[in-house]
Amino acid sequence: MRRPHSKKEIEAALQYAEANGWAIEPRRGNGHAWGRMYCPYNDADCRCGEFCIASIWSTPRNARNHAEHLKRIVDNCTPHRQGYPADEAHAQGQR
């Protein structure tokens, strides 16, 4: 189990990403980046890897905007929009 994000809006976005199969990896120590989230598909159809990894900021200027940005990344994932289940991508060993 990962540690929760201190901003409730971002924590909700992280739970949304996890529900859609994205892996959340908190970083150790303190700094600007709280962690990263990884696309479950990570294949050639996934925008050449451009959005397969996203940074999660620990103290963004506007937590609501950052949370919406993270949700947009999940929603705009090409295989996700085409309806491929994340479990299928994991079963094929693509991540």
Side-chain angles (χ1 to χ4, degrees):
M1 179 156 181
R2 66 170 176 81
R3 63 185 164 97
H5 196 282
S6 61
K7 305 290 184 186
K8 65 180 180 177
E9 299 92 340
I10 296 174
E11 179 59 28
L14 297 179
Q15 290 175 4
Y16 176 77
E18 287 175 323
N20 283 283
W22 288 64
I24 309 298
E25 276 189 18
R27 292 183 66 178
R28 295 179 187 191
N30 295 327
H32 296 291
W34 178 89
R36 291 186 175 202
M37 62 183 208
Y38 296 89
C39 176
Y41 304 103
N42 196 18
D43 61 7
D45 295 334
C46 197
R47 298 185 188 189
C48 302
E50 184 178 346
F51 292 102
C52 290
I53 301 173
S55 291
I56 305 160
W57 300 112
S58 54
T59 55
R61 183 175 298 187
N62 185 319
R64 188 172 140 251
N65 285 350
H66 187 55
E68 288 175 5
H69 174 73
L70 295 173
K71 286 182 182 179
R72 238 183 342 268
I73 290 171
V74 172
D75 291 338
N76 290 333
C77 177
T78 303
H80 175 76
R81 288 190 311 183
Q82 293 173 350
Y84 295 123
D87 293 336
E88 181 179 304
H90 284 194
Q92 294 175 359
Q94 294 177 351
R95 177 98 178 107

